Amino acid sequence: MLQLPHQPLQVAAVPPQRTPAREDQAGPWHSEAVCRRDEAGLFFAPSKEPTAARLAREESAKRVCARCPVMIECQEHALIQPEPYGVWGGLTAAERRVVLARRRRREMERKASSAAGATGRIAAAG
């Protein structure tokens, strides 16, 4: 964790982990997560963290995620729950909000397209 000069090191308050959304036959996906071997503070922000320190910490966490064999499972877990804090599957909370908004928009467009197609078929049949 990066620290600006003359500032005391702040310990991150790590929220309790939720139960994973799914498990495979070999056990829970998170048992293979690379982050289990790293400092949890890397993935969760300490209180009153300066922006530069937060950005550096998040980039470090993302580098850990990039080499993780269960990154996709972790990312989906964080999107499904949804996890409100921390870096999960290489995405920050803000990045996850963007992904979720895009998914909702695509789903709404898909439903609108399906409804329009059904209306057109009904009109053609009548």
Side-chain angles (χ1 to χ4, degrees):
M1 182 186 300
L2 290 179
Q3 184 179 346
L4 295 177
H6 307 295
Q7 289 188 351
L9 179 63
Q10 298 173 349
V11 178
V14 180
Q17 279 196 327
R18 297 181 184 165
T19 306
R22 56 195 151 131
E23 295 183 6
D24 62 19
Q25 309 237 336
W29 61 265
H30 55 82
S31 65
E32 299 299 317
V34 173
C35 63
R36 291 177 63 90
R37 297 180 287 276
D38 288 310
E39 180 186 334
L42 186 62
F43 298 90
F44 295 95
S47 62
K48 300 179 184 177
E49 181 178 35
T51 302
R54 177 182 54 82
L55 294 173
R57 180 187 49 74
E58 288 173 347
E59 284 305 311
S60 294
K62 288 178 177 188
R63 282 193 297 277
V64 172
C65 293
R67 61 183 165 83
C68 184
V70 293
M71 184 179 87
I72 300 301
E73 292 88 340
C74 179
Q75 190 175 98
E76 281 304 308
H77 162 82
L79 292 166
I80 290 168
Q81 284 299 326
E83 291 290 352
Y85 306 106
V87 175
W88 291 77
L91 297 177
T92 64
E95 291 166 337
R96 289 192 302 276
R97 285 190 296 274
V98 169
V99 169
L100 288 170
R102 286 180 182 158
R103 284 184 179 183
R104 282 190 298 272
R105 187 171 53 248
R106 279 195 304 264
E107 183 63 21
M108 288 174 56
E109 289 170 355
R110 186 190 64 75
K111 285 180 181 179
S113 176
S114 294
T119 303
R121 287 190 298 275
I122 292 170

